[in-house]
Each structure stands twice: as C-alpha cells, then as structure tokens.
Amino acid sequence: MSNSIRKWVFVLIVPLLVLLILNIVGGSSGHKVPLQQVSVDLDDKASLQRGAKYYMNYCFGCHSLNFSRYNRVAKDIGLTSENGFSDDDVTKLIKENLIFTTDEEGKPVKTGTLMKTAYSPKAAAEAFGTSVPDLSLVGRSRGPEWIYSYLKGFYLDPSRPMGVNNIVFPEVGMPDVLINLRGHQVLEHEAGNAEEGEHHGAPKLKLVKPGKLSPPEFDRVVKDLTAFLTYVSEPAQLSRKTYGIFVLLFLILFFFVALALEKEYWKDIH
Ligand code: HEC
C-alpha cells in the first residue's frame, strides 16, 4: 500500500471506528426505549408562545432559565411591534403571561430581568433528593426528541417517592407535573420472544385514566414545550437562518462576479 493510500485509510477509518465505539458505549448506558420523533418548527410563533405560557405555568416554579431575559424571550416569540403590539402591550403581555414571581424584596420583577426562580437549590435537594436543573441548555444537551419523549414518558410507580417513574429517565426525581393534562399511564411489556428466553419484550405505556386533554391535544402541549425549550437553548438560531439565506445569495452573486473577473483577466492571454 502506498503511503498516501495508507494516510487516507487512517484519516477515514480511524474517526469512523471512534464514532462506532462511542455509539456502542453511549448506547449501552443510554435509553433502551427508542425516543419518539418530533419536528419542532421554530418559525411557528404561536407554538412558541403557547410553549412559553405552559413553561411559565407548569415548569418555571422549579426550573429557572438563567440565561434568558423576559423581554428578549417576548420579542423572539413574536410579541413585537411588527406583529401589531405596542411597547405598552408587550410590557403588559409579559407581565400578565410570563412574570409570576417577585424579586427578593417582594417587588414585581422588571421585564429586562434574567428568568431566575425563587426556588433555592437547598429546598430542592430536600424536596426531591436531587438538584433541580436550570433548563437553559437542555434543548441542546438532551435534544428535542429526548425532551418530548421524557415529558410523555411518566408512568405510575408506587415504589418511587413521587409515585411516578419515567421510561426515558429511570428513577427520575421530578414529579409528573403534567399528570392532570395527560392522565395516568402504566408501564406494560409487549409479549416477549420465548425462543430467545425473554420474559417480556419492549416496554410501552398505556393510558389507564384519561386526563383533561385528549392524547393528540396533550401531544401538542408537549410539542409546544419542546419547541420553546429548543428555542431557549439557542435563541440565535431564529436569526441565524435568515443570515444563512443572505450569505448563500451573496455567494451565488459573488460566483458570477468572480467568473466575469476571471474572463476579464485572461482575455488578452492566449
Ligand atoms: C416540582 C418541581 C418541578 C417542576 C414543576 C418541573 N420539574 Fe423538571 N425536574 C425537576 C427535578 C427535581 C428534576 C431532576 C430529576 C432527577 O435528576 O432525577 C427535573 C428534571 C427535568 C428535566 C431533565 C433535565 C436533565 O437534563 O437531566 C427536564 C427536561 C425537565 N425537568 C423538564 C421539565 C418541564 C418541561 C417541566 C414543566 C412541564 C418541569 N420539568 C417541571 C423538578 C421539577
């Protein structure tokens, strides 16, 4: 084998092998249940607005968003003058729909403040036996599919302190805060393959007591929450896409300019 081929084999094969090993290691320690697919559309402002509302009502009591400011979030999810809201409207909407907390002195929180919760890490440790994570980056660290499957994955388990467990996050410390909307789920197993000596097959969840919402309505709530958390983890992705289009247009234009220049330079040389 010539040296250059050997070099290429090294350059191509070694990273592939590393990826394969990482996949196997990651796969064995990760979730055994396949994650549910979800496609979040960050251009769907109505979905982001609903997601923000659900987040502030159901999650923010425990989970802060330490890197976000109320007014930036409001702007990004479409509460802006371009969408027909005056500055006063926006301030009012933020105060009515997003801000439910007061600052340390008990005064109403200003719209430019970071989205911190009043929940102290100590109180959380006492209540849940674990810390309550800030969810600013969870959209990136776990990804939308994981968040979606996690919020749908709670089931009743009397052996756990909160009375629930989670199919993608075993032994979870978080209570099932959406249980009234979703209803009660129990864990079941599909029939196992006796020939392979399995007692039971893939785990699946069954709704045994309906909640306030129908399953499709509940899925939409969870999807909106997932979209909101995906946006929060990288606010710049909303504007990045627009920049991307301009950059591509510029490159196309520049290609023709460069082509014309090239012709011009070479026209007298034969
Ligand atoms: C009563 C407090 C409480 C509320 C309300 C709450 N959570 Fe949690 N959440 C927790 C705790 C505690 C954990 C840590 C669980 C653990 O480590 O076992 C957690 C963990 C999580 C995680 C996993 C983070 C990670 O990467 O490990 C996500 C995602 C999450 N919560 C989303 C939500 C969403 C979305 C809502 C609102 C629908 C919500 N939580 C409401 C207490 C809460």
Side-chain angles (χ1 to χ4, degrees):
M1 222 189 312
S2 83
N3 252 352
S4 71
I5 296 183
R6 218 173 280 161
K7 197 175 92 197
W8 278 108
V9 168
F10 193 75
V11 167
L12 292 174
I13 303 287
V14 169
L16 276 179
L17 278 178
V18 171
L19 280 179
L20 190 75
I21 292 169
L22 283 180
N23 198 8
I24 293 169
V25 173
S28 60
S29 67
H31 17 72
K32 280 165 238 116
V33 266
L35 296 180
Q36 300 192 33
Q37 293 301 309
V38 59
S39 63
V40 294
D41 176 8
L42 298 182
D43 292 326
D44 185 349
K45 298 284 189 235
S47 164
L48 289 179
Q49 287 170 16
R50 288 191 304 265
K53 191 180 76 187
Y54 300 137
Y55 189 84
M56 298 319 286
N57 281 291
Y58 291 103
C59 322
F60 189 64
C62 291
H63 294 287
S64 54
L65 296 175
N66 281 338
F67 300 124
S68 301
R69 289 180 195 279
Y70 291 99
N71 52 1
R72 166 79 195 263
V73 168
K75 188 167 157 243
D76 286 345
I77 63 178
L79 304 181
T80 59
S81 50
E82 288 149 37
N83 294 323
F85 297 103
S86 71
D87 282 354
D88 286 347
D89 284 348
V90 173
T91 311
K92 198 163 153 255
L93 277 168
I94 297 177
K95 292 207 163 138
E96 281 172 6
N97 294 294
L98 295 181
I99 301 185
F100 301 125
T101 44
T102 51
D103 65 11
E104 281 141 19
E105 288 155 21
K107 293 204 194 98
V109 172
K110 296 211 175 66
T111 59
T113 338
L114 289 171
M115 299 171 73
K116 294 183 185 285
T117 54
Y119 219 100
S120 77
K122 197 166 154 267
E126 277 167 18
F128 309 110
T130 170
S131 61
V132 180
D134 178 89
L135 294 186
S136 303
L137 296 175
V138 76
R140 271 193 276 171
S141 62
R142 298 286 203 178
E145 272 83 25
W146 190 91
I147 299 173
Y148 184 72
S149 310
Y150 169 67
L151 293 174
K152 289 185 62 178
F154 283 90
Y155 62 91
L156 300 180
D157 180 351
S159 72
R160 299 290 307 151
M162 297 288 161
V164 288
N165 211 328
N166 193 290
I167 198 162
V168 297
F169 191 148
E171 321 250 294
V172 70
M174 172 170 141
D176 184 4
V177 292
L178 300 175
I179 196 162
N180 288 336
L181 303 183
R182 181 203 312 99
H184 295 181
Q185 293 191 131
V186 292
L187 182 68
E188 284 189 346
H189 288 275
E190 278 165 12
N193 188 341
E195 276 175 27
E196 288 175 21
E198 287 174 356
H199 292 301
H200 43 231
K204 65 169 199 234
L205 297 173
K206 191 175 157 204
L207 194 65
V208 285
K209 187 175 155 221
K212 276 195 224 148
L213 302 179
S214 69
E217 283 168 346
F218 180 74
D219 287 358
R220 197 186 74 160
V221 170
V222 173
K223 189 175 161 183
D224 293 339
L225 273 167
T226 306
F228 177 67
L229 284 173
T230 308
Y231 144 70
V232 161
S233 70
E234 204 182 343
Q237 60 188 312
L238 295 180
S239 47
R240 204 177 54 200
K241 278 194 205 149
T242 328
Y243 292 143
I245 292 168
F246 281 117
V247 169
L248 284 180
L249 282 177
F250 171 77
L251 286 179
I252 293 169
L253 208 73
F254 187 72
F255 171 76
F256 288 108
V257 174
L259 206 67
L261 255 184
E262 198 228 6
K263 282 218 179 96
E264 185 62 29
Y265 283 156
W266 288 92
K267 73 172 188 247
D268 297 332
I269 304 167
H270 297 288

